[in-house]
Amino acid sequence: MAVIGDFSCVYVVGLVFRAEDSYTHRHLCEFTGLDAEMRIKEHYSEVMDIVDRVFVKIFDKVNETCQEQLAAIGIQYPFKPLKYLRNTLRLTFEEGIQMLKEAGVEVDPLGDLNTESERALENLVLEKYDTEFFIQHRYPLAARPFYTMPCLDNPAYSNSFDVFLRGEEIISGGQRVHMCGLLESRAKECGIDVKTISHYINSFRYGTPPHGGFGAGLERVVMLFCALDNIRKVSLFPRDPRRLAP
Ligand code: ATP
């Protein structure tokens, strides 16, 4: 909505609360999100450009200025420095599937990757490109939320991406549908009653530029940057479905 109001690029770092019913090493009910939305001039790769620049800069800066703190963490939980490229690798979903297939990993070509296949892909990417940080884009439309823009050349895919750090997702993003008609029909196709999201759809009615954005979970970024095995180690007061206090 801020982008519709003519802010060309906006971001927020804030607390996110989720009624997660997930009992994993990487899900909290309260985490810190970094969310950004921006006007797209020509292509959703402009959003991936921002992800690339922001995160390479963050990693560089942390490595440059936090050696003392990283060493302190390393005493308790030894880890190797993150491998990342100057220009972040981008693979299409289809390229990722192809790499997995060639390695003998079975995956649904129009579904989403499960945790095991994400890990397998990370190993293949590390071997081939020597990086632990990469973007996978052009996901199957069926694996993304209703507001994701379908690809113009093939609507089975979408203008969307996930970003992986040491084999786990840290960011989801993509281009949002900005046309009301398409937004309504996509919502219906996904079984959503459009009346329940009328405020969202109505805000698009008087002209909306093409736009996209992403959401990153910062505890996950810290956990994986330091190769830790549990997100609770990087949250001062971790909140999960079983832990409300202290
Ligand atoms: P996952 O598939 O791991 O459950 P998601 O697809 O639900 O994640 P998004 O809704 O796309 O995630 O959120 C964007 C980012 O926010 C994620 O990539 C992740 O870094 C972070 N995130 C999402 N849910 C959680 C959570 N419960 N705890 C910590 N971080 C989270």
Side-chain angles (χ1 to χ4, degrees), residues 40-241:
I40 291 174
K41 290 195 190 107
E42 282 176 13
H43 193 265
Y44 71 98
S45 61
E46 293 157 36
V47 184
M48 299 195 283
D49 293 342
I50 297 284
V51 169
D52 174 12
R53 289 304 87 210
V54 168
F55 280 84
V56 169
K57 186 84 187 171
I58 290 174
F59 300 152
D60 282 350
K61 197 77 186 165
V62 170
N63 281 328
E64 213 180 284
T65 57
C66 303
Q67 276 312 316
E68 207 180 309
Q69 290 84 349
L70 295 174
I73 296 168
I75 292 171
Q76 203 173 356
Y77 304 107
F79 68 97
K80 292 205 183 102
L82 179 76
K83 287 187 173 178
Y84 59 102
L85 304 172
R86 286 294 98 203
N87 292 306
T88 305
L89 173 71
R90 297 176 195 188
L91 289 176
T92 63
F93 186 82
E94 282 172 293
E95 285 166 340
I97 295 276
Q98 192 55 33
M99 285 172 73
L100 286 166
K101 260 197 200 152
E102 283 165 14
V105 182
E106 272 313 307
V107 273
D108 176 359
L110 287 180
D112 204 352
L113 296 182
N114 60 25
T115 307
E116 291 76 50
S117 37
E118 284 176 359
R119 284 239 187 255
L121 185 59
E122 163 67 15
N123 289 330
L124 295 168
V125 166
L126 182 59
E127 227 169 75
K128 188 164 175 190
Y129 300 99
D130 201 33
T131 180
E132 293 171 297
F133 179 63
F134 71 97
I135 302 175
Q136 195 174 28
H137 65 109
R138 230 178 120 90
Y139 269 70
L141 186 66
R144 310 301 288 204
F146 75 93
Y147 52 76
T148 311
M149 185 66 96
C151 289
L152 203 58
D153 62 328
N154 183 352
Y157 292 95
S158 63
N159 293 353
S160 64
F161 58 88
D162 275 0
V163 182
F164 294 92
L165 191 60
R166 297 199 209 255
E168 297 194 46
E169 178 206 310
I170 55 156
I171 299 172
S172 262
Q175 182 175 356
R176 325 303 188 187
V177 174
H178 61 283
M179 301 92 109
C180 291
L182 182 58
L183 199 52
E184 279 171 347
S185 59
R186 284 293 301 137
K188 281 182 199 150
E189 278 164 29
C190 293
I192 294 164
D193 178 359
V194 289
K195 285 203 282 306
T196 62
I197 53 167
S198 57
H199 290 292
Y200 181 67
I201 294 178
N202 286 342
S203 67
F204 287 59
R205 290 210 190 277
Y206 302 104
T208 306
H211 63 284
F214 62 89
L218 297 185
E219 283 85 356
R220 274 198 205 173
V221 175
V222 177
M223 167 180 81
L224 295 161
F225 186 87
C226 299
L228 296 166
D229 61 358
N230 199 305
I231 197 165
R232 290 159 186 79
K233 288 181 178 148
V234 300
S235 173
L236 190 56
F237 294 106
R239 295 284 170 255
D240 65 28

